[in-house]
Amino acid sequence: MLTDDYDPHRGRMLKVLDQNGKVVEKALEPKLDDSVLERAYRTMVLSRAADEKAVILQRQGRLGAYPPNHGQEAASMGPAMALEEGDWLVWAFRELAGLLWKGLPLLNYYLYWMGNEEGSRYPPGLNITPASIPVASQMPISVGIAYASALRSENRVTLAFCGDGGTSEGDFHEAMNVSGVLRTPNVFVVQNNQWAISVPRSRQTAAPTIAQKACAYGLKGIQVDGNDLLAMYIATKEAAERARRGEGPTLIEAYTYRMGNHTTSDDARKYRLESEAKGWELRDPISRLKAYLISRGSLDDDREKQVWSDAREAVEKAVAEAEGFPPPALEDVFQYTYAEMPSELKTEMDRLRAELRDGDKG
Ligand SMILES: Cc1ncc(C[n+]2csc(CCOP(=O)(O)OP(=O)(O)O)c2C)c(N)n1
């Protein structure tokens, strides 16, 4: 078992590929078809292209505050690749590649970050929860989802993400604790990107690894190179299979790095050295997978160029669609919290309507 071989107390991090895309642990290399690996590569490139575009759109005033995903593509996509249809994906706010792999249309993603809640109306049956901005609040929800599906004997796994900062929240602790006690079919991935806004990982916890927090809750735990798609995939696959067999949850620490600012409202130069990010550029998850694919003969320079131009075209199409989408109705601000709108809320809604009507006249 990987979680035994890479017991977090022994300080070993799971890796399959080195930073040049060379296999370092031949026995661990997953037997994935070329077609699957190519799709994985295309999805990671699409995520990178869509992410870069989102930052540009924000700078142009065409999209709201946005959290860049650059550098963390493998940490969400490896786990998503290990899911089966019908499994749940509960995300925080920096998991674009995993969402795309599971089938979220880019249109939804852009609409959401453009401030249109219609973006969170996902295609039915996708089993992805909406973005969760209150840090770690999605973790107890993911345990509830997993517990409910176990009670219904649905044989589904619930994969949930949070950041290293999220592990300091009460919600995180409560979720891990209850999940361990009830042995819910969960896989938790902590994207340890070394920073929670300006708080470094060293100030987040005195524990040497985040993975070892699993032990105190009676969970399996493992620290994985989060920029290594294959390592993230095999660690999650083992954890998902264990969860599906009813053998309890796993906490995976994806050791990665937030290459960009926390959000477009942040300036990381104020609190961290630029040389730190430069060092992490060498471990880029996309370049690493590209080198691996080239070494297998399943990618070459021409195909690579095509992958990027296809991605950019898909991004432009989704942006045009999102910008052409009807704006949300005013009433949406007041609806959807209650099955029947309470009278105070109705009064507020009527007042706002009247004010806007009078404003139009004046
Ligand atoms: C409960 C709560 N507190 C504070 C915030 C403001 N906030 C947004 S993201 C963030 C840091 C989160 O860090 P981490 O969990 O490591 O995720 P990352 O942003 O690095 O992906 C904070 C403090 C919030 N959204 N929710």
Side-chain angles (χ1 to χ4, degrees):
M1 243 187 344
L2 293 172
T3 44
D4 290 337
D5 299 342
Y6 292 83
D7 178 343
H9 282 115
R10 286 201 253 132
R12 273 183 88 196
M13 191 190 298
L14 175 69
K15 264 183 209 294
V16 177
L17 298 177
D18 69 9
Q19 62 189 52
N20 301 314
K22 265 222 182 87
V23 177
V24 282
E25 280 274 13
K26 193 73 194 153
L28 297 180
E29 186 183 4
K31 287 174 189 49
L32 290 168
D33 284 349
D34 277 343
S35 60
V36 174
L37 285 166
E38 279 174 37
R39 191 185 144 210
Y41 187 70
R42 276 202 309 272
T43 309
M44 280 167 76
V45 168
L46 178 61
S47 171
R48 176 77 53 96
D51 191 62
E52 283 170 354
K53 182 73 181 187
V55 174
I56 293 168
L57 292 174
Q58 191 280 336
R59 296 295 187 236
Q60 294 174 344
R62 294 157 69 188
L63 188 137
Y66 178 76
N69 287 233
H70 192 126
Q72 294 182 226
E73 293 85 357
S76 70
M77 211 182 69
M81 286 172 74
L83 293 182
E84 288 182 9
E85 224 177 311
D87 287 346
W88 281 90
L89 192 159
V90 178
W91 64 301
F93 47 80
R94 222 184 284 278
E95 284 83 19
L96 173 57
L99 298 175
L100 293 173
W101 179 271
K102 203 168 188 316
L104 188 79
L106 207 40
L107 170 66
N108 286 72
Y109 189 78
Y110 280 129
L111 280 177
Y112 175 76
W113 293 111
M114 286 175 180
N116 189 333
E117 275 298 338
E118 278 299 313
S120 299
R121 195 195 296 276
Y122 296 165
L126 208 51
N127 291 0
I128 303 178
T129 52
S132 192
I133 305 298
V135 171
S137 59
Q138 71 280 13
M139 302 309 268
I141 292 170
S142 78
V143 177
I145 293 173
Y147 189 46
S149 50
L151 290 176
R152 292 178 183 159
S153 308
E154 287 175 343
N155 204 24
R156 286 182 179 162
V157 170
T158 302
L159 167 69
F161 290 90
C162 77
D164 43 302
T167 65
S168 297
E169 291 286 347
D171 272 350
F172 176 82
H173 162 73
E174 289 153 21
M176 296 306 113
N177 193 53
V178 172
S179 174
V181 170
L182 298 177
R183 295 178 77 70
T184 53
N186 279 105
V187 179
F188 304 108
V189 175
V190 174
Q191 289 212 55
N192 171 12
N193 62 11
Q194 314 302 328
W195 292 91
I197 314 186
S198 55
V199 178
R201 157 64 185 81
S202 58
R203 301 293 294 168
Q204 202 61 249
T205 172
T209 69
I210 287 174
Q212 73 193 81
K213 286 178 181 273
C215 308
Y217 300 111
L219 272 56
K220 297 280 186 197
I222 186 166
Q223 189 185 46
V224 183
D225 182 332
N227 288 12
D228 177 348
L229 180 80
L230 301 186
M232 285 305 297
Y233 168 73
I234 61 168
T236 315
K237 187 130 183 72
E238 178 183 284
E241 282 168 5
R242 183 162 45 235
R244 220 182 289 283
R245 288 194 302 268
E247 293 170 17
T250 305
L251 174 64
I252 297 174
E253 173 184 354
Y255 196 86
T256 181
Y257 193 76
R258 193 195 79 214
M259 295 298 291
N261 292 318
H262 169 70
T263 65
T264 43
S265 318
D266 173 49
D267 180 358
R269 288 172 305 183
K270 297 255 193 288
Y271 54 82
R272 68 182 194 191
L273 293 171
E274 283 178 66
S275 56
E276 193 180 274
K278 281 260 169 293
W280 277 87
E281 257 170 34
L282 304 172
R283 309 191 210 175
D284 181 71
I286 297 185
S287 313
R288 208 187 275 197
L289 185 63
K290 176 180 155 187
Y292 173 66
L293 291 179
I294 289 174
S295 72
R296 284 169 57 113
S298 35
L299 190 70
D300 56 35
D301 283 345
D302 284 348
R303 293 229 299 279
E304 219 260 322
K305 277 199 197 101
Q306 191 62 44
V307 168
W308 274 98
S309 73
D310 290 351
R312 295 210 166 96
E313 202 181 304
V315 165
E316 290 308 323
K317 195 166 157 264
V319 171
E321 234 183 307
E323 293 193 321
F325 207 84
L330 172 75
E331 288 76 10
D332 279 6
V333 178
F334 301 94
Q335 285 182 40
Y336 311 120
T337 305
Y338 299 95
E340 271 177 46
M341 196 180 291
S343 58
E344 311 83 66
L345 213 52
K346 187 162 181 331
T347 309
E348 274 185 43
M349 183 171 78
D350 292 342
R351 196 180 299 152
L352 182 63
R353 271 188 185 141
E355 272 176 28
L356 291 173
R357 214 178 26 239
D358 294 348
D360 281 351
K361 275 187 217 143

